[in-house]
Amino acid sequence: MTRDSEIADRLRSYSSGGTVALRLSSQEYADNYLSALGLTVRDLGGESNTHTIYVSVTNPASLVWSLLQALDIPSGRVSFVDAISHLMMSFQNVLPNASYVESPTMLEGIMLRIEYLLRKHPSQRNMVIVDSVNSLAVHNSPEVLSEFFHILVNNLKTRSVLTVLFTTSDAEGSDLDRILSLVVDESFSLGGGT
Amino acid sequence: MSGSRSGPVPTAEAAQDSRCVTGIEGLDNILGGGVPRGNMVLIAGGVGTGKTTLCLEFLVRGAEKNEKGLFISVTEASTKLLQNFATFEFFRPELVQHDMITIVDLPIIYDRLGLNREELKPGEVDILVRTIQDLVRESGARRVVIDSLTSVGFRVRSEEKARDFILKLGQAFSELGTTSLMVAEVGAVPGVHSLYGVEEAIVDGVVLLSNVRRRGDMLRVLQIIKMRGTVHSRAQYVIELTPIGMLLAPFLKGGRLETS
């Protein structure tokens, strides 16, 4: 059994909700990122009756969408909450399955768009991916970010939603570690690290 | 001790009926289950804060539960209102076609009653209250919206007449068992929720909608200032007006605030 399939099985074990951190090493980040997409959107999201809400803070949703298509990852049941395109003035390619938040500092807006998509696409199993915790930390103070994750994660957990938080392990500081330790049930490292 | 209680214990059904469930899930949660039935509630806020949308959803969710609603429009023609309402997925035109929601233009009522003067006399205030009461009775409405009380206030033109109008209207609605939302347009003066300042003291509840600026972001925020007959949250909530209805999320307190 490979490391990736082990992680995939662990992720599947959170069928009644939970919060998992996928720590991506910055060394060979691109490969690790593709592995993370494969483990989540392809392996879990591709299963029947699963709807994925992808919160994109690092890259515009259109870029992630293109990547999923280029990798032949089934993306029919993926919706996006894009919190970066407005800020980057990047609106060349507006996706019909994306909901745009004006700024990554509008954390309540991200919560509300997730809520909207959960109601709009009722599904037996839902997964919310936040890409990434580090990008959110660039725009928000640790205090407000901690409050945000505490509310978001607990709300999603009560609704049996699996939340997957992408983080860059090498860039984590003590504040991020503290936030993650409060909300995460289990962490997995991709591409080395602990 | 339970043995010392006198009188019948209210059933869950009776307790539920004592509440007018708005159908806006987040709002009902912070109100402890809904607006106490028969309450007159001021929906106060500046422009673009979602007052009319909240009121519309209140009527639509009521109609879905077989409670008829009456929307008294003072500032906007009903045809234009309906065009705006059609942009919401939760609104279905057949609710209006089947008289589950009745929309009335108050300026037309003014004309029919001959109340064409810019300022209403005290006797004419009584006529207006009776006419609104008749409209509620005829439509069978259990939920009423007046959008806006401020516009009626401009015609009433004095604090005393405004107080008189609201007191009489509240009494009329209370007799009919109607729960009502009164829209009040307010500016940026903190602590002022109505045109004359007396309205908020008379009504049973005040829901404040405002635009709050945080680090350059503009957030729509809802707060229950008062609500007689229930224990309620006094915290601020960020709202989003989505096609499927109003959604609420807790306001995060990490940032500095400037109210506009």
mmCIF file of all heavy atoms in Angstrom, chain A residues 102-109 111-113 115-116 119-120 138-141 143-144 147-148 151, chain B residues 25-26 89 214-215 217-219 238-240 242-244 246-255:
data_model
loop_
_atom_site.group_PDB
_atom_site.id
_atom_site.type_symbol
_atom_site.label_atom_id
_atom_site.label_comp_id
_atom_site.label_asym_id
_atom_site.label_seq_id
_atom_site.Cartn_x
_atom_site.Cartn_y
_atom_site.Cartn_z
ATOM 1 N N GLU A 102 -15.178 39.011 -2.399
ATOM 2 C CA GLU A 102 -14.388 40.179 -2.817
ATOM 3 C C GLU A 102 -12.943 40.173 -2.335
ATOM 4 O O GLU A 102 -12.066 40.708 -3.001
ATOM 5 C CB GLU A 102 -15.079 41.457 -2.340
ATOM 6 C CG GLU A 102 -16.309 41.791 -3.157
ATOM 7 C CD GLU A 102 -17.158 42.830 -2.495
ATOM 8 O OE1 GLU A 102 -16.635 43.904 -2.167
ATOM 9 O OE2 GLU A 102 -18.361 42.572 -2.285
ATOM 10 N N SER A 103 -12.712 39.608 -1.170
ATOM 11 C CA SER A 103 -11.355 39.654 -0.625
ATOM 12 C C SER A 103 -11.162 38.502 0.369
ATOM 13 O O SER A 103 -12.111 38.101 1.051
ATOM 14 C CB SER A 103 -11.181 41.006 0.087
ATOM 15 O OG SER A 103 -10.174 40.916 1.059
ATOM 16 N N PRO A 104 -9.939 37.983 0.465
ATOM 17 C CA PRO A 104 -9.703 36.924 1.468
ATOM 18 C C PRO A 104 -9.838 37.427 2.898
ATOM 19 O O PRO A 104 -9.806 36.638 3.837
ATOM 20 C CB PRO A 104 -8.275 36.465 1.179
ATOM 21 C CG PRO A 104 -7.666 37.477 0.291
ATOM 22 C CD PRO A 104 -8.746 38.264 -0.356
ATOM 23 N N THR A 105 -9.967 38.749 3.068
ATOM 24 C CA THR A 105 -10.200 39.278 4.420
ATOM 25 C C THR A 105 -11.678 39.187 4.797
ATOM 26 O O THR A 105 -12.027 39.377 5.966
ATOM 27 C CB THR A 105 -9.756 40.750 4.520
ATOM 28 O OG1 THR A 105 -10.384 41.491 3.476
ATOM 29 C CG2 THR A 105 -8.256 40.879 4.404
ATOM 30 N N MET A 106 -12.542 38.923 3.823
ATOM 31 C CA MET A 106 -13.975 38.794 4.125
ATOM 32 C C MET A 106 -14.270 37.341 4.496
ATOM 33 O O MET A 106 -14.906 36.592 3.749
ATOM 34 C CB MET A 106 -14.821 39.268 2.948
ATOM 35 C CG MET A 106 -14.617 40.747 2.662
ATOM 36 S SD MET A 106 -15.615 41.379 1.331
ATOM 37 C CE MET A 106 -17.166 41.627 2.139
ATOM 38 N N LEU A 107 -13.782 36.953 5.656
ATOM 39 C CA LEU A 107 -13.872 35.552 6.078
ATOM 40 C C LEU A 107 -15.319 35.127 6.285
ATOM 41 O O LEU A 107 -15.687 33.984 6.007
ATOM 42 C CB LEU A 107 -13.057 35.345 7.354
ATOM 43 C CG LEU A 107 -11.544 35.575 7.195
ATOM 44 C CD1 LEU A 107 -10.862 35.569 8.550
ATOM 45 C CD2 LEU A 107 -10.928 34.515 6.285
ATOM 46 N N GLU A 108 -16.149 36.048 6.774
ATOM 47 C CA GLU A 108 -17.573 35.719 6.944
ATOM 48 C C GLU A 108 -18.193 35.435 5.578
ATOM 49 O O GLU A 108 -19.067 34.581 5.449
ATOM 50 C CB GLU A 108 -18.338 36.868 7.608
ATOM 51 C CG GLU A 108 -17.904 37.194 9.027
ATOM 52 C CD GLU A 108 -16.852 38.290 9.070
ATOM 53 O OE1 GLU A 108 -16.182 38.506 8.047
ATOM 54 O OE2 GLU A 108 -16.700 38.916 10.136
ATOM 55 N N GLY A 109 -17.721 36.181 4.560
ATOM 56 C CA GLY A 109 -18.213 35.966 3.196
ATOM 57 C C GLY A 109 -17.878 34.554 2.722
ATOM 58 O O GLY A 109 -18.690 33.899 2.064
ATOM 59 N N MET A 111 -17.494 31.947 4.693
ATOM 60 C CA MET A 111 -18.414 31.041 5.434
ATOM 61 C C MET A 111 -19.792 31.025 4.784
ATOM 62 O O MET A 111 -20.420 29.976 4.620
ATOM 63 C CB MET A 111 -18.575 31.527 6.882
ATOM 64 C CG MET A 111 -17.427 31.201 7.775
ATOM 65 S SD MET A 111 -17.901 31.397 9.506
ATOM 66 C CE MET A 111 -17.183 32.946 9.905
ATOM 67 N N LEU A 112 -20.267 32.211 4.404
ATOM 68 C CA LEU A 112 -21.622 32.316 3.848
ATOM 69 C C LEU A 112 -21.717 31.678 2.465
ATOM 70 O O LEU A 112 -22.741 31.074 2.135
ATOM 71 C CB LEU A 112 -22.048 33.788 3.809
ATOM 72 C CG LEU A 112 -22.345 34.391 5.179
ATOM 73 C CD1 LEU A 112 -22.389 35.920 5.130
ATOM 74 C CD2 LEU A 112 -23.666 33.858 5.731
ATOM 75 N N ARG A 113 -20.657 31.797 1.670
ATOM 76 C CA ARG A 113 -20.686 31.159 0.339
ATOM 77 C C ARG A 113 -20.636 29.634 0.483
ATOM 78 O O ARG A 113 -21.252 28.913 -0.299
ATOM 79 C CB ARG A 113 -19.530 31.635 -0.532
ATOM 80 C CG ARG A 113 -19.520 33.118 -0.819
ATOM 81 C CD ARG A 113 -20.814 33.609 -1.430
ATOM 82 N NE ARG A 113 -20.869 35.051 -1.393
ATOM 83 C CZ ARG A 113 -20.528 35.856 -2.385
ATOM 84 N NH1 ARG A 113 -20.158 35.356 -3.538
ATOM 85 N NH2 ARG A 113 -20.608 37.160 -2.243
ATOM 86 N N GLU A 115 -21.887 28.006 2.993
ATOM 87 C CA GLU A 115 -23.245 27.696 3.436
ATOM 88 C C GLU A 115 -24.211 27.688 2.246
ATOM 89 O O GLU A 115 -25.041 26.786 2.102
ATOM 90 C CB GLU A 115 -23.685 28.751 4.466
ATOM 91 C CG GLU A 115 -25.115 28.641 4.971
ATOM 92 C CD GLU A 115 -25.349 27.412 5.823
ATOM 93 O OE1 GLU A 115 -24.399 27.000 6.499
ATOM 94 O OE2 GLU A 115 -26.476 26.871 5.790
ATOM 95 N N TYR A 116 -24.073 28.689 1.399
ATOM 96 C CA TYR A 116 -24.934 28.790 0.213
ATOM 97 C C TYR A 116 -24.771 27.555 -0.681
ATOM 98 O O TYR A 116 -25.761 26.950 -1.110
ATOM 99 C CB TYR A 116 -24.574 30.071 -0.553
ATOM 100 C CG TYR A 116 -25.210 30.178 -1.914
ATOM 101 C CD1 TYR A 116 -26.584 30.360 -2.056
ATOM 102 C CD2 TYR A 116 -24.439 30.089 -3.072
ATOM 103 C CE1 TYR A 116 -27.169 30.458 -3.319
ATOM 104 C CE2 TYR A 116 -25.010 30.186 -4.331
ATOM 105 C CZ TYR A 116 -26.377 30.366 -4.445
ATOM 106 O OH TYR A 116 -26.950 30.454 -5.680
ATOM 107 N N ARG A 119 -26.296 24.399 0.719
ATOM 108 C CA ARG A 119 -27.764 24.358 0.566
ATOM 109 C C ARG A 119 -28.167 24.174 -0.888
ATOM 110 O O ARG A 119 -29.168 23.549 -1.192
ATOM 111 C CB ARG A 119 -28.377 25.663 1.080
ATOM 112 C CG ARG A 119 -28.288 25.784 2.582
ATOM 113 C CD ARG A 119 -29.043 26.989 3.043
ATOM 114 N NE ARG A 119 -28.756 27.261 4.444
ATOM 115 C CZ ARG A 119 -29.569 27.918 5.233
ATOM 116 N NH1 ARG A 119 -30.707 28.379 4.781
ATOM 117 N NH2 ARG A 119 -29.244 28.131 6.488
ATOM 118 N N LYS A 120 -27.374 24.759 -1.771
ATOM 119 C CA LYS A 120 -27.689 24.724 -3.201
ATOM 120 C C LYS A 120 -27.452 23.326 -3.777
ATOM 121 O O LYS A 120 -28.130 22.926 -4.714
ATOM 122 C CB LYS A 120 -26.789 25.753 -3.904
ATOM 123 C CG LYS A 120 -27.061 25.991 -5.341
ATOM 124 C CD LYS A 120 -28.167 26.983 -5.564
ATOM 125 C CE LYS A 120 -28.372 27.204 -7.059
ATOM 126 N NZ LYS A 120 -29.730 27.588 -7.375
ATOM 127 N N VAL A 138 -1.790 35.210 5.142
ATOM 128 C CA VAL A 138 -1.140 36.388 4.558
ATOM 129 C C VAL A 138 -2.031 37.621 4.723
ATOM 130 O O VAL A 138 -1.562 38.730 4.952
ATOM 131 C CB VAL A 138 -0.853 36.142 3.048
ATOM 132 C CG1 VAL A 138 -0.420 37.429 2.354
ATOM 133 C CG2 VAL A 138 0.195 35.063 2.873
ATOM 134 N N HIS A 139 -3.347 37.409 4.651
ATOM 135 C CA HIS A 139 -4.290 38.534 4.623
ATOM 136 C C HIS A 139 -5.004 38.778 5.949
ATOM 137 O O HIS A 139 -5.728 39.767 6.081
ATOM 138 C CB HIS A 139 -5.349 38.280 3.535
ATOM 139 C CG HIS A 139 -4.780 38.112 2.172
ATOM 140 N ND1 HIS A 139 -4.456 39.166 1.355
ATOM 141 C CD2 HIS A 139 -4.426 36.989 1.488
ATOM 142 C CE1 HIS A 139 -3.951 38.725 0.219
ATOM 143 N NE2 HIS A 139 -3.927 37.390 0.275
ATOM 144 N N ASN A 140 -4.883 37.850 6.900
ATOM 145 C CA ASN A 140 -5.652 37.964 8.143
ATOM 146 C C ASN A 140 -4.764 37.777 9.370
ATOM 147 O O ASN A 140 -3.796 37.013 9.325
ATOM 148 C CB ASN A 140 -6.772 36.908 8.176
ATOM 149 C CG ASN A 140 -7.785 37.097 7.064
ATOM 150 O OD1 ASN A 140 -8.659 37.949 7.152
ATOM 151 N ND2 ASN A 140 -7.661 36.312 5.999
ATOM 152 N N SER A 141 -5.148 38.440 10.449
ATOM 153 C CA SER A 141 -4.377 38.301 11.687
ATOM 154 C C SER A 141 -4.630 36.919 12.290
ATOM 155 O O SER A 141 -5.677 36.305 12.046
ATOM 156 C CB SER A 141 -4.802 39.372 12.689
ATOM 157 O OG SER A 141 -6.113 39.098 13.146
ATOM 158 N N GLU A 143 -5.500 36.165 15.215
ATOM 159 C CA GLU A 143 -6.694 36.187 16.090
ATOM 160 C C GLU A 143 -7.961 35.925 15.288
ATOM 161 O O GLU A 143 -8.784 35.084 15.643
ATOM 162 C CB GLU A 143 -6.822 37.539 16.808
ATOM 163 C CG GLU A 143 -5.768 37.811 17.861
ATOM 164 C CD GLU A 143 -4.449 38.277 17.264
ATOM 165 O OE1 GLU A 143 -4.423 38.632 16.079
ATOM 166 O OE2 GLU A 143 -3.441 38.262 18.003
ATOM 167 N N VAL A 144 -8.111 36.672 14.181
ATOM 168 C CA VAL A 144 -9.344 36.536 13.403
ATOM 169 C C VAL A 144 -9.359 35.202 12.649
ATOM 170 O O VAL A 144 -10.411 34.572 12.485
ATOM 171 C CB VAL A 144 -9.552 37.767 12.468
ATOM 172 C CG1 VAL A 144 -8.713 37.699 11.227
ATOM 173 C CG2 VAL A 144 -11.021 37.944 12.115
ATOM 174 N N GLU A 147 -10.430 32.509 15.038
ATOM 175 C CA GLU A 147 -11.884 32.603 15.247
ATOM 176 C C GLU A 147 -12.632 31.999 14.044
ATOM 177 O O GLU A 147 -13.588 31.239 14.199
ATOM 178 C CB GLU A 147 -12.231 34.086 15.407
ATOM 179 C CG GLU A 147 -13.576 34.381 16.002
ATOM 180 C CD GLU A 147 -13.820 35.889 16.080
ATOM 181 O OE1 GLU A 147 -12.899 36.687 15.845
ATOM 182 O OE2 GLU A 147 -14.965 36.262 16.383
ATOM 183 N N PHE A 148 -12.158 32.351 12.856
ATOM 184 C CA PHE A 148 -12.781 31.865 11.623
ATOM 185 C C PHE A 148 -12.756 30.340 11.544
ATOM 186 O O PHE A 148 -13.790 29.697 11.328
ATOM 187 C CB PHE A 148 -12.042 32.473 10.425
ATOM 188 C CG PHE A 148 -12.333 31.820 9.103
ATOM 189 C CD1 PHE A 148 -13.568 31.976 8.484
ATOM 190 C CD2 PHE A 148 -11.372 31.056 8.452
ATOM 191 C CE1 PHE A 148 -13.841 31.382 7.256
ATOM 192 C CE2 PHE A 148 -11.626 30.456 7.227
ATOM 193 C CZ PHE A 148 -12.859 30.623 6.634
ATOM 194 N N ILE A 151 -15.040 28.547 14.129
ATOM 195 C CA ILE A 151 -16.473 28.565 13.783
ATOM 196 C C ILE A 151 -16.744 27.680 12.561
ATOM 197 O O ILE A 151 -17.647 26.849 12.567
ATOM 198 C CB ILE A 151 -16.952 30.012 13.528
ATOM 199 C CG1 ILE A 151 -16.866 30.833 14.820
ATOM 200 C CG2 ILE A 151 -18.385 30.024 12.997
ATOM 201 C CD1 ILE A 151 -17.059 32.323 14.628
ATOM 202 N N GLU B 25 -33.528 30.899 8.537
ATOM 203 C CA GLU B 25 -33.048 29.988 9.572
ATOM 204 C C GLU B 25 -32.162 30.665 10.619
ATOM 205 O O GLU B 25 -32.389 30.546 11.826
ATOM 206 C CB GLU B 25 -32.288 28.840 8.895
ATOM 207 C CG GLU B 25 -32.025 27.668 9.803
ATOM 208 C CD GLU B 25 -31.216 26.591 9.087
ATOM 209 O OE1 GLU B 25 -31.650 26.140 8.020
ATOM 210 O OE2 GLU B 25 -30.147 26.235 9.598
ATOM 211 N N GLY B 26 -31.182 31.406 10.151
ATOM 212 C CA GLY B 26 -30.247 32.061 11.076
ATOM 213 C C GLY B 26 -30.950 33.062 11.978
ATOM 214 O O GLY B 26 -30.640 33.178 13.171
ATOM 215 N N GLU B 89 -34.604 33.388 -6.264
ATOM 216 C CA GLU B 89 -35.112 32.032 -6.521
ATOM 217 C C GLU B 89 -36.200 31.651 -5.533
ATOM 218 O O GLU B 89 -37.091 30.867 -5.850
ATOM 219 C CB GLU B 89 -33.979 31.007 -6.403
ATOM 220 C CG GLU B 89 -33.065 30.956 -7.607
ATOM 221 C CD GLU B 89 -31.881 30.031 -7.367
ATOM 222 O OE1 GLU B 89 -32.043 29.009 -6.699
ATOM 223 O OE2 GLU B 89 -30.786 30.371 -7.855
ATOM 224 N N ARG B 214 -14.707 47.259 7.515
ATOM 225 C CA ARG B 214 -13.597 46.656 8.258
ATOM 226 C C ARG B 214 -12.414 46.520 7.309
ATOM 227 O O ARG B 214 -12.494 45.788 6.338
ATOM 228 C CB ARG B 214 -14.014 45.279 8.806
ATOM 229 C CG ARG B 214 -12.957 44.669 9.731
ATOM 230 C CD ARG B 214 -13.369 43.301 10.232
ATOM 231 N NE ARG B 214 -13.520 42.381 9.118
ATOM 232 C CZ ARG B 214 -14.173 41.231 9.200
ATOM 233 N NH1 ARG B 214 -14.771 40.872 10.320
ATOM 234 N NH2 ARG B 214 -14.268 40.438 8.152
ATOM 235 N N ARG B 215 -11.367 47.229 7.588
ATOM 236 C CA ARG B 215 -10.159 47.200 6.757
ATOM 237 C C ARG B 215 -10.499 47.364 5.268
ATOM 238 O O ARG B 215 -9.993 46.638 4.419
ATOM 239 C CB ARG B 215 -9.397 45.894 6.978
ATOM 240 C CG ARG B 215 -8.849 45.747 8.392
ATOM 241 C CD ARG B 215 -8.267 44.371 8.620
ATOM 242 N NE ARG B 215 -7.124 44.130 7.784
ATOM 243 C CZ ARG B 215 -6.642 42.925 7.506
ATOM 244 N NH1 ARG B 215 -7.217 41.858 8.003
ATOM 245 N NH2 ARG B 215 -5.600 42.769 6.733
ATOM 246 N N ASP B 217 -13.194 46.588 3.718
ATOM 247 C CA ASP B 217 -14.282 45.723 3.260
ATOM 248 C C ASP B 217 -15.608 46.260 3.787
ATOM 249 O O ASP B 217 -15.681 46.737 4.918
ATOM 250 C CB ASP B 217 -14.111 44.288 3.787
ATOM 251 C CG ASP B 217 -12.854 43.627 3.246
ATOM 252 O OD1 ASP B 217 -12.449 43.974 2.124
ATOM 253 O OD2 ASP B 217 -12.296 42.765 3.943
ATOM 254 N N MET B 218 -16.644 46.168 2.984
ATOM 255 C CA MET B 218 -17.979 46.578 3.431
ATOM 256 C C MET B 218 -18.804 45.326 3.702
ATOM 257 O O MET B 218 -18.996 44.494 2.826
ATOM 258 C CB MET B 218 -18.646 47.408 2.336
ATOM 259 C CG MET B 218 -19.931 48.053 2.776
ATOM 260 S SD MET B 218 -19.641 49.430 3.888
ATOM 261 C CE MET B 218 -19.752 50.782 2.739
ATOM 262 N N LEU B 219 -19.265 45.213 4.948
ATOM 263 C CA LEU B 219 -20.050 44.036 5.332
ATOM 264 C C LEU B 219 -21.456 44.458 5.709
ATOM 265 O O LEU B 219 -21.649 45.484 6.357
ATOM 266 C CB LEU B 219 -19.409 43.340 6.545
ATOM 267 C CG LEU B 219 -17.956 42.885 6.403
ATOM 268 C CD1 LEU B 219 -17.389 42.510 7.758
ATOM 269 C CD2 LEU B 219 -17.864 41.697 5.470
ATOM 270 N N VAL B 238 -23.048 38.830 10.209
ATOM 271 C CA VAL B 238 -22.880 39.253 8.815
ATOM 272 C C VAL B 238 -23.941 38.535 7.989
ATOM 273 O O VAL B 238 -24.193 37.344 8.200
ATOM 274 C CB VAL B 238 -21.470 38.916 8.290
ATOM 275 C CG1 VAL B 238 -21.318 39.255 6.818
ATOM 276 C CG2 VAL B 238 -20.425 39.663 9.116
ATOM 277 N N ILE B 239 -24.584 39.280 7.104
ATOM 278 C CA ILE B 239 -25.622 38.642 6.281
ATOM 279 C C ILE B 239 -25.221 38.658 4.808
ATOM 280 O O ILE B 239 -24.446 39.489 4.368
ATOM 281 C CB ILE B 239 -27.002 39.326 6.446
ATOM 282 C CG1 ILE B 239 -26.932 40.814 6.059
ATOM 283 C CG2 ILE B 239 -27.525 39.154 7.838
ATOM 284 C CD1 ILE B 239 -28.289 41.457 5.902
ATOM 285 N N GLU B 240 -25.803 37.715 4.104
ATOM 286 C CA GLU B 240 -25.595 37.636 2.658
ATOM 287 C C GLU B 240 -26.983 37.439 2.041
ATOM 288 O O GLU B 240 -27.743 36.571 2.488
ATOM 289 C CB GLU B 240 -24.687 36.426 2.350
ATOM 290 C CG GLU B 240 -24.385 36.246 0.910
ATOM 291 C CD GLU B 240 -23.010 36.789 0.514
ATOM 292 O OE1 GLU B 240 -22.228 37.150 1.403
ATOM 293 O OE2 GLU B 240 -22.769 36.848 -0.682
ATOM 294 N N THR B 242 -28.661 35.982 -0.725
ATOM 295 C CA THR B 242 -28.411 35.059 -1.830
ATOM 296 C C THR B 242 -29.723 34.791 -2.571
ATOM 297 O O THR B 242 -30.801 35.073 -2.041
ATOM 298 C CB THR B 242 -27.846 33.715 -1.315
ATOM 299 O OG1 THR B 242 -28.921 32.949 -0.751
ATOM 300 C CG2 THR B 242 -26.770 33.920 -0.260
ATOM 301 N N PRO B 243 -29.645 34.219 -3.774
ATOM 302 C CA PRO B 243 -30.879 33.901 -4.499
ATOM 303 C C PRO B 243 -31.800 32.965 -3.713
ATOM 304 O O PRO B 243 -33.018 32.991 -3.908
ATOM 305 C CB PRO B 243 -30.375 33.221 -5.771
ATOM 306 C CG PRO B 243 -28.985 33.728 -5.954
ATOM 307 C CD PRO B 243 -28.440 33.926 -4.576
ATOM 308 N N ILE B 244 -31.227 32.137 -2.823
ATOM 309 C CA ILE B 244 -32.076 31.195 -2.077
ATOM 310 C C ILE B 244 -32.514 31.766 -0.722
ATOM 311 O O ILE B 244 -33.196 31.099 0.035
ATOM 312 C CB ILE B 244 -31.390 29.819 -1.883
ATOM 313 C CG1 ILE B 244 -30.064 29.969 -1.135
ATOM 314 C CG2 ILE B 244 -31.193 29.117 -3.212
ATOM 315 C CD1 ILE B 244 -29.465 28.639 -0.697
ATOM 316 N N MET B 246 -31.822 34.860 2.714
ATOM 317 C CA MET B 246 -30.819 35.522 3.547
ATOM 318 C C MET B 246 -30.072 34.500 4.402
ATOM 319 O O MET B 246 -30.690 33.642 5.034
ATOM 320 C CB MET B 246 -31.526 36.540 4.450
ATOM 321 C CG MET B 246 -30.570 37.294 5.349
ATOM 322 S SD MET B 246 -31.426 38.444 6.445
ATOM 323 C CE MET B 246 -31.560 39.868 5.382
ATOM 324 N N LEU B 247 -28.753 34.601 4.407
ATOM 325 C CA LEU B 247 -27.925 33.720 5.227
ATOM 326 C C LEU B 247 -27.169 34.565 6.247
ATOM 327 O O LEU B 247 -26.809 35.715 5.960
ATOM 328 C CB LEU B 247 -26.936 32.946 4.361
ATOM 329 C CG LEU B 247 -27.532 32.056 3.256
ATOM 330 C CD1 LEU B 247 -26.417 31.440 2.410
ATOM 331 C CD2 LEU B 247 -28.406 30.955 3.846
ATOM 332 N N LEU B 248 -26.931 33.998 7.424
ATOM 333 C CA LEU B 248 -26.245 34.710 8.499
ATOM 334 C C LEU B 248 -25.010 33.946 8.951
ATOM 335 O O LEU B 248 -25.022 32.721 9.015
ATOM 336 C CB LEU B 248 -27.159 34.887 9.725
ATOM 337 C CG LEU B 248 -28.263 35.936 9.683
ATOM 338 C CD1 LEU B 248 -29.453 35.435 8.896
ATOM 339 C CD2 LEU B 248 -28.698 36.308 11.086
ATOM 340 N N ALA B 249 -23.980 34.703 9.287
ATOM 341 C CA ALA B 249 -22.767 34.118 9.886
ATOM 342 C C ALA B 249 -22.320 35.031 11.018
ATOM 343 O O ALA B 249 -22.517 36.246 10.937
ATOM 344 C CB ALA B 249 -21.658 34.002 8.842
ATOM 345 N N PRO B 250 -21.710 34.473 12.059
ATOM 346 C CA PRO B 250 -21.257 35.334 13.155
ATOM 347 C C PRO B 250 -20.242 36.363 12.662
ATOM 348 O O PRO B 250 -19.409 36.049 11.821
ATOM 349 C CB PRO B 250 -20.597 34.352 14.129
ATOM 350 C CG PRO B 250 -21.072 33.020 13.728
ATOM 351 C CD PRO B 250 -21.387 33.067 12.275
ATOM 352 N N PHE B 251 -20.353 37.566 13.165
ATOM 353 C CA PHE B 251 -19.403 38.623 12.829
ATOM 354 C C PHE B 251 -18.103 38.359 13.583
ATOM 355 O O PHE B 251 -18.107 38.235 14.814
ATOM 356 C CB PHE B 251 -20.004 39.968 13.250
ATOM 357 C CG PHE B 251 -19.184 41.163 12.865
ATOM 358 C CD1 PHE B 251 -19.431 41.828 11.681
ATOM 359 C CD2 PHE B 251 -18.183 41.627 13.684
ATOM 360 C CE1 PHE B 251 -18.676 42.928 11.316
ATOM 361 C CE2 PHE B 251 -17.422 42.728 13.334
ATOM 362 C CZ PHE B 251 -17.673 43.383 12.148
ATOM 363 N N LEU B 252 -17.006 38.239 12.870
ATOM 364 C CA LEU B 252 -15.717 37.971 13.509
ATOM 365 C C LEU B 252 -15.182 39.256 14.132
ATOM 366 O O LEU B 252 -15.267 40.321 13.522
ATOM 367 C CB LEU B 252 -14.719 37.407 12.496
ATOM 368 C CG LEU B 252 -15.173 36.128 11.769
ATOM 369 C CD1 LEU B 252 -14.134 35.689 10.761
ATOM 370 C CD2 LEU B 252 -15.464 35.002 12.752
ATOM 371 N N LYS B 253 -14.669 39.147 15.320
ATOM 372 C CA LYS B 253 -14.355 40.363 16.084
ATOM 373 C C LYS B 253 -12.883 40.772 16.031
ATOM 374 O O LYS B 253 -12.461 41.659 16.760
ATOM 375 C CB LYS B 253 -14.786 40.174 17.540
ATOM 376 C CG LYS B 253 -16.287 39.974 17.653
ATOM 377 C CD LYS B 253 -16.694 39.515 19.033
ATOM 378 C CE LYS B 253 -18.170 39.184 19.063
ATOM 379 N NZ LYS B 253 -18.496 37.975 18.268
ATOM 380 N N GLY B 254 -12.137 40.147 15.153
ATOM 381 C CA GLY B 254 -10.709 40.453 15.121
ATOM 382 C C GLY B 254 -10.341 41.801 14.549
ATOM 383 O O GLY B 254 -9.249 42.291 14.777
ATOM 384 N N GLY B 255 -11.251 42.434 13.799
ATOM 385 C CA GLY B 255 -10.880 43.672 13.113
ATOM 386 C C GLY B 255 -11.429 44.921 13.760
ATOM 387 O O GLY B 255 -12.290 44.864 14.622
#
